[in-house]
Amino acid sequence: MATRLSGGGRTGRRRPARTGVEPDHPRYKWVALSNTTLGTLIATINASIVLISLPAIFNGIGLDPLEPGNVSYPTCCGCW
């Protein structure tokens, strides 16, 4: 856990740094919900961008994904 000097660094006492909302805070559930919602939205937008750009990606690398020998390219990770 990160620590910082209390009192602007003048005293030698250390206390834990606050990194976010504590679980017993009244707004904790709203912070967790908004973070989850924002993460889901970003993941959905990213998936849409990749899906729309797949034809251009395949044209750029000179690959026809519908040929029998190229079926594994769209489904595996790290093939390039």
Side-chain angles (χ1 to χ4, degrees):
M1 176 182 276
T3 58
R4 64 179 171 177
L5 292 176
S6 62
R10 293 184 209 133
T11 63
R13 294 182 292 145
R14 291 200 171 290
R15 63 179 177 168
R18 295 198 54 174
T19 57
V21 180
E22 300 295 326
D24 58 345
H25 194 276
R27 289 189 222 158
Y28 178 77
K29 62 182 176 182
W30 295 111
V31 171
L33 178 65
S34 62
N35 288 342
T36 305
T37 303
L38 188 61
T40 304
L41 176 67
I42 290 172
T44 303
I45 291 171
N46 187 28
S48 298
I49 290 170
V50 170
L51 185 62
I52 290 169
S53 64
L54 275 178
I57 293 171
F58 288 137
N59 285 336
I61 61 174
L63 183 71
D64 183 11
L66 299 178
E67 286 183 8
N70 297 332
V71 174
S72 65
Y73 279 96
T75 58
C76 72
C77 297
C79 292
W80 303 329

